[in-house]
mmCIF file of all heavy atoms in Angstrom:
data_model
loop_
_atom_site.group_PDB
_atom_site.id
_atom_site.type_symbol
_atom_site.label_atom_id
_atom_site.label_comp_id
_atom_site.label_asym_id
_atom_site.label_seq_id
_atom_site.Cartn_x
_atom_site.Cartn_y
_atom_site.Cartn_z
ATOM 1 N N MET Y 103 1.302 15.683 -0.594
ATOM 2 C CA MET Y 103 1.562 14.248 -0.573
ATOM 3 C C MET Y 103 2.968 13.893 -0.113
ATOM 4 O O MET Y 103 3.190 12.877 0.610
ATOM 5 C CB MET Y 103 1.382 13.698 -2.013
ATOM 6 C CG MET Y 103 -0.093 13.651 -2.499
ATOM 7 S SD MET Y 103 -1.124 12.826 -1.383
ATOM 8 C CE MET Y 103 -0.582 11.135 -1.627
ATOM 9 N N ILE Y 104 3.953 14.723 -0.498
ATOM 10 C CA ILE Y 104 5.291 14.465 -0.021
ATOM 11 C C ILE Y 104 5.351 14.535 1.463
ATOM 12 O O ILE Y 104 5.970 13.656 2.103
ATOM 13 C CB ILE Y 104 6.322 15.462 -0.651
ATOM 14 C CG1 ILE Y 104 6.446 15.224 -2.147
ATOM 15 C CG2 ILE Y 104 7.662 15.391 -0.004
ATOM 16 C CD1 ILE Y 104 7.194 16.249 -2.890
ATOM 17 N N ALA Y 105 4.722 15.584 2.034
ATOM 18 C CA ALA Y 105 4.710 15.681 3.487
ATOM 19 C C ALA Y 105 4.092 14.434 4.109
ATOM 20 O O ALA Y 105 4.581 13.871 5.111
ATOM 21 C CB ALA Y 105 3.942 16.919 3.913
ATOM 22 N N SER Y 106 3.038 13.987 3.483
ATOM 23 C CA SER Y 106 2.317 12.758 3.962
ATOM 24 C C SER Y 106 3.268 11.569 3.918
ATOM 25 O O SER Y 106 3.401 10.803 4.889
ATOM 26 C CB SER Y 106 1.095 12.564 3.065
ATOM 27 O OG SER Y 106 0.694 11.217 3.281
ATOM 28 N N ASP Y 107 4.025 11.438 2.800
ATOM 29 C CA ASP Y 107 4.927 10.314 2.658
ATOM 30 C C ASP Y 107 6.014 10.266 3.731
ATOM 31 O O ASP Y 107 6.462 9.232 4.140
ATOM 32 C CB ASP Y 107 5.539 10.238 1.278
ATOM 33 C CG ASP Y 107 4.514 9.849 0.234
ATOM 34 O OD1 ASP Y 107 3.507 9.264 0.621
ATOM 35 O OD2 ASP Y 107 4.737 10.227 -0.959
ATOM 36 N N LEU Y 108 6.474 11.494 4.116
ATOM 37 C CA LEU Y 108 7.595 11.642 4.990
ATOM 38 C C LEU Y 108 7.194 11.270 6.453
ATOM 39 O O LEU Y 108 8.081 10.960 7.266
ATOM 40 C CB LEU Y 108 8.229 13.019 4.889
ATOM 41 C CG LEU Y 108 8.912 13.318 3.634
ATOM 42 C CD1 LEU Y 108 9.381 14.822 3.597
ATOM 43 C CD2 LEU Y 108 10.060 12.403 3.394
ATOM 44 N N LEU Y 109 5.932 11.405 6.759
ATOM 45 C CA LEU Y 109 5.500 11.228 8.093
ATOM 46 C C LEU Y 109 5.340 9.738 8.457
ATOM 47 O O LEU Y 109 5.038 8.938 7.569
ATOM 48 C CB LEU Y 109 4.146 11.936 8.322
ATOM 49 C CG LEU Y 109 4.189 13.431 8.352
ATOM 50 C CD1 LEU Y 109 2.830 14.014 8.175
ATOM 51 C CD2 LEU Y 109 4.849 13.888 9.665
ATOM 52 N N PRO Y 110 5.633 9.380 9.667
ATOM 53 C CA PRO Y 110 5.499 7.978 10.058
ATOM 54 C C PRO Y 110 4.025 7.487 10.008
ATOM 55 O O PRO Y 110 3.132 8.282 10.236
ATOM 56 C CB PRO Y 110 6.051 7.946 11.537
ATOM 57 C CG PRO Y 110 5.781 9.330 12.005
ATOM 58 C CD PRO Y 110 5.935 10.295 10.844
ATOM 59 N N ARG Y 111 3.903 6.176 9.780
ATOM 60 C CA ARG Y 111 2.579 5.689 9.767
ATOM 61 C C ARG Y 111 2.287 5.006 11.161
ATOM 62 O O ARG Y 111 3.167 4.282 11.626
ATOM 63 C CB ARG Y 111 2.444 4.607 8.713
ATOM 64 C CG ARG Y 111 2.416 5.210 7.344
ATOM 65 C CD ARG Y 111 2.918 4.192 6.302
ATOM 66 N NE ARG Y 111 2.842 4.812 4.999
ATOM 67 C CZ ARG Y 111 3.775 5.642 4.489
ATOM 68 N NH1 ARG Y 111 4.768 6.002 5.197
ATOM 69 N NH2 ARG Y 111 3.580 6.169 3.307
ATOM 70 N N ILE Y 112 1.175 5.317 11.762
ATOM 71 C CA ILE Y 112 0.880 4.749 13.072
ATOM 72 C C ILE Y 112 -0.048 3.583 12.841
ATOM 73 O O ILE Y 112 -1.022 3.633 12.126
ATOM 74 C CB ILE Y 112 0.240 5.844 13.920
ATOM 75 C CG1 ILE Y 112 1.271 6.968 14.122
ATOM 76 C CG2 ILE Y 112 -0.227 5.303 15.224
ATOM 77 C CD1 ILE Y 112 0.656 8.221 14.715
ATOM 78 N N PRO Y 113 0.328 2.440 13.532
ATOM 79 C CA PRO Y 113 -0.532 1.289 13.401
ATOM 80 C C PRO Y 113 -1.990 1.592 13.705
ATOM 81 O O PRO Y 113 -2.288 2.452 14.587
ATOM 82 C CB PRO Y 113 0.035 0.284 14.492
ATOM 83 C CG PRO Y 113 1.400 0.868 14.745
ATOM 84 C CD PRO Y 113 1.417 2.286 14.454
ATOM 85 N N LEU Y 114 -2.852 1.000 12.940
ATOM 86 C CA LEU Y 114 -4.236 1.282 12.976
ATOM 87 C C LEU Y 114 -4.888 0.926 14.296
ATOM 88 O O LEU Y 114 -4.700 -0.164 14.773
ATOM 89 C CB LEU Y 114 -4.935 0.557 11.788
ATOM 90 C CG LEU Y 114 -6.226 1.148 11.376
ATOM 91 C CD1 LEU Y 114 -6.059 2.477 10.807
ATOM 92 C CD2 LEU Y 114 -6.809 0.195 10.270
ATOM 93 N N LEU Y 115 -5.551 1.844 14.890
ATOM 94 C CA LEU Y 115 -6.367 1.595 16.053
ATOM 95 C C LEU Y 115 -7.818 1.668 15.611
ATOM 96 O O LEU Y 115 -8.248 2.627 15.156
ATOM 97 C CB LEU Y 115 -6.126 2.694 17.086
ATOM 98 C CG LEU Y 115 -4.809 2.710 17.793
ATOM 99 C CD1 LEU Y 115 -4.716 4.026 18.626
ATOM 100 C CD2 LEU Y 115 -4.604 1.506 18.669
#
Side-chain angles (χ1 to χ4, degrees):
Chain Y
M103 290 306 292
I104 290 172
S106 162
D107 288 337
L108 292 176
L109 287 165
R111 289 155 180 78
I112 294 167
L114 202 60
L115 288 172

